[in-house]
């Protein structure tokens, strides 16, 4: 069991009201995979537009997530927990964009 682990946080300005792009991933990102590419695209998008970017995951070896009330949740509840944790970590963000690892953001015209 475990709490969410903050893996990457690129804060454009924590005290400002810029948007925050949030990702949650349970797979390893150290290989040349689609998941790694998706993470890199989302981080680059956030950086290019001056947004905060944060990636959460479970600690290595954790199979369950601890909820606030002590109940044990499956790892896929991490998306909801990541959204809540981002609100705590970046309380002044103007809005939050929760992106799945199988999605990519493009600003191409």
């Amino acid at each position: 069991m475990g709490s969410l682990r903050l893996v990457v946080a690129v804060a454009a300005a924590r005290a400002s009201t810029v948007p925050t792009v949030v990702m949650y991933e349970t797979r390893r990102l150290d290989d040349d995979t689609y998941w790694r590419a998706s993470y890199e695209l989302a981080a680059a998008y956030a950086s290019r537009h001056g947004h905060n970017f944060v990636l959460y995951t479970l600690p290595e070896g954790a199979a369950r997530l601890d909820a606030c009330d002590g109940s044990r949740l499956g790892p896929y509840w991490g998306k909801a927990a990541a959204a809540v944790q981002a609100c705590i970590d970046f309380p002044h963000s103007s809005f939050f964009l929760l992106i799945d690892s199988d999605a990519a953001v493009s600003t191409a015209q």
Side-chain angles (χ1 to χ4, degrees):
M1 289 192 287
S3 300
L4 285 180
R5 180 174 68 113
L6 175 67
V7 177
V8 175
V10 178
R14 272 192 188 259
S16 72
T17 59
V18 299
T20 297
V21 178
V22 181
M23 289 187 84
Y24 169 76
E25 183 55 62
T26 57
R27 293 167 281 233
R28 294 179 61 106
L29 297 175
D30 55 356
D31 298 325
D32 187 24
T33 62
Y34 176 84
W35 322 117
R36 174 73 183 206
S38 176
Y39 146 72
E40 289 173 353
L41 284 171
Y45 169 84
S47 176
R48 182 173 40 248
H49 295 284
H51 301 339
N52 298 317
F53 174 80
V54 65
L55 170 67
Y56 296 102
T57 187
L58 287 175
E60 188 82 25
R64 297 260 179 214
L65 185 66
D66 296 331
C68 333
D69 65 358
S71 58
R72 297 171 47 177
L73 304 173
Y76 300 107
W77 278 98
K79 291 179 187 178
V84 171
Q85 189 63 48
C87 292
I88 293 167
D89 292 343
F90 298 88
H92 301 291
S93 288
S94 55
F95 66 89
F96 297 88
L97 175 62
L98 180 62
I99 298 181
D100 269 348
S101 59
D102 61 352
V105 178
S106 172
T107 57
Q109 298 287 329

